Structure formats: C-alpha cells, structure tokens
Amino acid sequence: MNQTLSLYRLQQTDSQTTRALTRLQAIQEILENDEALRVAREQAEAAEKNRLSAERSLRQAEAAVRGQQIKIEQTEASLYGGQIHNPKELQELQNEAAALKRYLATLEDRQLEAMLADEEAEAAHLAAQATLQGTQSGLNERNRSLSQEQASLQREIEKFDAERQAIANAIPAEYIETYNRLRQQRGGVAVAGISDSTCAACGSGLTPAQQQAARSAAQIAHCPSCGRILYGS
Ligand SMILES: [Zn+2]
C-alpha cells in the first residue's frame, strides 16, 4: 500500500483516539466535580440546624409561659384562698399578681414570635431538602448518561487500537519512527492533508511539484514549512 496513505490513516486513527481520550478525561472531571451537590447538602444541613434551634426556642418560650401561668395561679390561690386576712399582705399579693400578668403578656408575645420563627425555619428546611433531592436526582440522571458515554468511548478506543495495530504493522519501522517524532513535535499531528494547494495543518502554500510529490507512492514528502508528512489524495 502507498506508505503515505497508510501514515495518513494511522494519523486519523490516532487523532480519533486522542479525541476519545480527551472526552473521557472531561467526563471524569465532570463526574468528580460534585460542587452543586455539596452546596445543596450544606444548605440542607444548615436549614435542619436552624429548624432544630427554632424548635428548641419555641419549646423554651412555651415552658416560660406555662411557668408564668402556674405562678399566677399560685398567687391567685393565696389571694382568694381566704387564709390571708392582713390587708397589706393582700395588697402585696394583688400587686404581685398584676406584675406577673404583665410579664405573662411579654412572654406570650415571645412565644408567638418563636412560633412564627419555627414555622419559617420548617418551611426553609423543607425547601432546602427539596432542592437537595432535585440536585441529587438531576446528577444521577446526568451521571447515568455520562457513564454510558464513557463505556461507549472505551469500546471505540479499543476498536481504534486494533485498527492502529493493523495499519502500523504494514508500515516500515523507519516511517513509524519519523511519524512518532513528528507527532511529538507537532502537537499530535504528523501527517497533513492538502487543501486548496496548502498544507492543511500549517496553511503554508505548496507548489504544484510539492503537491505532486505528496501524491507519489514512491516517496514521502514533507511540508517545507512545518515538516509534517504531506498526504495528497
Ligand atoms: Zn505544513
């Protein structure tokens, strides 16, 4: 077979493999990057903490109101129990009951505020959990499709490897060496086609004689500018 054509096919196979490997690498990075999930999880945890704290505050506010009510009941029991007759003492008890009731109103206001805060924290927690679940299922969906793509790319790479082996076996070792060296030096592209009388890799113009040489099966022609092997179809 025309060696230049074989080298050109080798180049095509290697370029396809490189593209597949690059995509595999990108997929790996996407799969490892779980930033969105991490943020959603953190927010759900913070919301859960807030909810627990609001619930605790509400229980404390409720207990304070109940405690105050008990104090008022006890004070009123003494006041109306009929066992205290001293007018000064009775007056003091009355004042005390009034003071306890005034403070009860303050405690009840606080309880109401705590109740509203608790409801808000509960709603925020539910919302954060829903976001987390949405993020999780979105990622699961995405990861499934990326995993499928990974598997198909790996199969392609195996196929390219087998093709490459078959092509390379038919090329003399010295050409393979030149090819490998050029690939290394020229960004992975050792063989360039000719398009509109120019080297398709570097864009340098080619004379008719140079193009003719690139089409010849008898020799290997190099681009006078970038040094790549030229393939003229
Ligand atoms: Zn060139």
Side-chain angles (χ1 to χ4, degrees), residues 12-13 31 41 45 64 78 95 101 113 154 168 170 178 183 186 189 194 202 209 215 221:
Q12 284 179 315
T13 310
L31 288 175
R41 196 173 278 144
E45 278 167 14
S78 308
N95 291 347
K101 281 179 183 168
E113 277 168 26
Q154 269 147 2
T178 306
R183 270 201 91 205
R186 293 284 177 265
V189 180
I194 294 172
C202 75
R215 279 188 216 104

Side-chain angles (χ1 to χ4, degrees), residues 100-118:
L100 287 170
K101 281 179 183 168
R102 278 195 301 277
Y103 191 51
L104 176 66
T106 301
L107 290 175
E108 281 171 344
D109 285 347
R110 285 182 196 165
Q111 183 184 0
L112 185 64
E113 277 168 26
M115 205 181 292
L116 295 174
D118 184 54

Side-chain angles (χ1 to χ4, degrees), residues 118-151:
D118 184 54
E119 279 166 14
E120 262 177 46
E122 175 75 36
H125 180 226
L126 286 175
Q129 272 185 322
T131 301
L132 175 59
Q133 274 163 12
T135 305
Q136 182 81 66
S137 65
L139 283 178
N140 287 347
E141 183 63 36
R142 186 204 70 180
N143 290 356
R144 242 196 316 281
S145 112
L146 285 177
S147 297
Q148 283 167 359
E149 192 184 345
Q150 254 180 339

Side-chain angles (χ1 to χ4, degrees), residues 186 192-193 198-204 206 222-228 230:
R186 293 284 177 265
T198 62
C199 164
C202 75
S204 169
L206 299 166
H222 292 267
C223 167
S225 178
C226 69
R228 290 184 176 94
L230 285 174

Side-chain angles (χ1 to χ4, degrees), residues 2 28 60 85 105 116 183 232:
N2 178 340
Q28 192 60 30
Q60 283 166 355
H85 302 288
L116 295 174
R183 270 201 91 205

